[in-house]
């Protein structure tokens, strides 16, 4: 496995319920880099995240994606996770009967591989330390996964899972939605603690405020299923100040209304 991770997306096209949403996405995310994708609703941001993770609802019709030089699209969802890809979901699922701690320990052991499982006591010590750093009540470890959690608690729990699994490439799909400013800072601190050459990050967000706490190296704008503009953090600030209409006008893009959650 390469020492510096790399996710490379080339001319990716994908459909949802027979409707083409991604129309040729090109993007490379490497270790040590933070990329942010912004854009209006219905332009394909969440479709990109779900397609990369292998959600069965999303059909990749053409293009290539590689993770550390290996064909990501040929991997099953669990193989993608074991190879270091992580998705923090916009709407995390609730799973009754499975405790938070058991879920994360099983996921970590699956990634580490047979014969390299983490001892139970060591795992629980490390988990409690990580929970404290994210201001998550340690009693949540024994609660069922996300069951009864508030929106903010679910989002912090996603970052906790990322912290435990230490992926090579992580995708955060609107992790900031529904968070107040204090929760946003806590989530950002958890993400920033992982930054380094062995970790690449792709953030999908509508708002520039998250990028004040997780400062991106690259900002991309997605419209009509493709990336239409890339720049530095100043691009995000310009979008926050001016919206998207000026860019649509400049590029000759007309508004589209999508009938699916993309």
């Amino acid at each position: 496995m390469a020492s510096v991770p790399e996710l490379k997306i080339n001319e990716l096209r994908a459909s949802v319920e027979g409707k083409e949403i991604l129309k040729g996405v090109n993007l490379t995310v490497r270790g040590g880099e933070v990329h942010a994708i912004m854009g209006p609703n219905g332009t394909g941001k969440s479709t990109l995240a779900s397609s990369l993770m292998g959600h069965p609802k999303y059909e990749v019709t053409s293009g290539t994606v590689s993770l550390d030089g290996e064909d990501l699209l040929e991997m099953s969802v669990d193989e993608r996770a074991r190879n270091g890809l992580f998705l923090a979901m916009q709407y995390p699922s609730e799973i009754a009967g499975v405790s938070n701690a058991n879920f994360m320990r099983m996921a970590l052991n699956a990634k580490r591989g047979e014969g390299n499982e983490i001892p139970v006591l060591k795992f629980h010590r490390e988990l409690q330390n990580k929970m404290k750093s994210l201001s998550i009540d340690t009693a949540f470890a024994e609660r069922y996964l996300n069951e009864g959690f508030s929106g903010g608690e679910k989002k912090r729990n996603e970052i906790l899972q990322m912290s435990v699994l230490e992926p090579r490439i992580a995708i955060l799909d609107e992790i900031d939605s529904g968070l107040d400013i204090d929760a946003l800072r806590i989530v950002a601190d958890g993400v920033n603690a992982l930054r380094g050459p062995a970790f690449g990050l792709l953030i999908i967000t509508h708002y520039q405020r998250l990028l004040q706490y997780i400062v991106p190296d690259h900002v991309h704008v997605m419209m009509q299923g493709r990336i239409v503009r890339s720049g530095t953090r100043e691009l995000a600030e310009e979008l926050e100040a001016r919206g998207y209409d000026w860019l649509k006008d400049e590029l000759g893009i007309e508004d589209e209304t999508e009938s699916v959650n993309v």
Side-chain angles (χ1 to χ4, degrees):
M1 185 176 288
S3 57
V4 177
E6 180 185 74
L7 177 70
K8 190 169 185 178
I9 306 166
N10 182 54
E11 289 298 319
L12 184 66
R13 291 177 174 264
S15 298
V16 181
E17 300 172 358
K19 181 178 180 63
E20 186 176 57
I21 304 299
L22 301 184
K23 302 175 182 179
V25 175
N26 294 285
L27 181 65
T28 300
V29 180
R30 298 183 178 89
E33 298 177 350
V34 174
H35 292 249
I37 293 183
M38 304 181 72
N41 286 326
T43 56
K45 302 184 298 297
S46 291
T47 294
L48 175 61
S50 295
S51 298
L52 292 174
M53 205 66 227
H55 193 298
K57 176 182 175 182
Y58 301 84
E59 179 187 3
V60 173
T61 55
S62 66
T64 61
V65 183
S66 64
L67 178 62
D68 296 334
E70 300 292 327
D71 188 348
L72 184 77
L73 301 179
E74 288 298 316
M75 299 179 193
S76 62
V77 175
D78 63 302
E79 287 172 336
R80 298 180 198 205
R82 285 200 301 268
N83 278 279
L85 187 65
F86 177 88
L87 171 62
M89 294 178 286
Q90 185 176 356
Y91 303 108
S93 299
E94 297 183 10
I95 303 178
V98 178
S99 74
N100 238 349
N102 282 341
F103 173 81
M104 282 183 269
R105 185 169 61 86
M106 288 187 293
L108 180 59
N109 284 336
K111 182 184 175 187
R112 290 167 67 104
E114 188 175 350
N116 194 33
E117 294 89 349
I118 186 170
V120 174
L121 291 179
K122 180 181 179 182
F123 170 79
H124 280 282
R125 282 196 301 269
E126 293 182 1
L127 177 63
Q128 289 195 353
N129 288 335
K130 292 178 185 295
M131 293 180 79
K132 288 177 182 176
S133 71
L134 288 167
S135 297
I136 297 174
D137 188 334
T138 54
F140 277 34
E142 300 310 318
R143 288 179 59 181
Y144 293 153
L145 183 63
N146 288 322
E147 190 173 59
F149 287 19
S150 69
E153 288 167 344
K154 287 182 179 180
K155 297 301 179 69
R156 275 185 280 177
N157 207 37
E158 291 286 288
I159 300 304
L160 175 62
Q161 292 172 30
M162 184 177 72
S163 180
V164 167
L165 294 173
E166 297 183 343
R168 294 172 63 75
I169 299 287
I171 305 165
L172 307 185
D173 187 7
E174 298 194 28
I175 197 71
D176 52 332
S177 64
L179 297 184
D180 61 29
I181 196 67
D182 291 328
L184 185 65
R185 288 189 178 119
I186 291 169
V187 163
D189 287 345
V191 173
N192 287 328
L194 292 175
R195 292 184 74 157
F199 176 70
L201 180 62
L202 177 61
I203 301 172
I204 295 170
T205 183
H206 282 294
Y207 306 109
Q208 192 266 339
R209 68 170 190 161
L210 175 64
L211 307 183
Q212 295 174 351
Y213 300 101
I214 307 172
V215 179
D217 302 294
H218 307 277
V219 174
H220 312 279
V221 182
M222 180 173 280
M223 292 182 181
Q224 294 188 333
R226 59 175 61 91
I227 291 173
V228 298
R229 180 67 58 88
S230 296
T232 61
R233 62 178 297 189
E234 285 74 21
L235 176 58
E237 294 169 357
E238 186 172 13
L239 294 170
E240 182 78 6
R242 300 176 63 190
Y244 292 101
D245 286 346
W246 67 273
L247 186 54
K248 292 177 182 177
D249 292 342
E250 184 177 304
L251 298 171
I253 292 175
E254 297 181 358
D255 286 332
E256 289 184 337
T257 301
E258 304 291 1
S259 60
V260 293
N261 179 23
V262 297

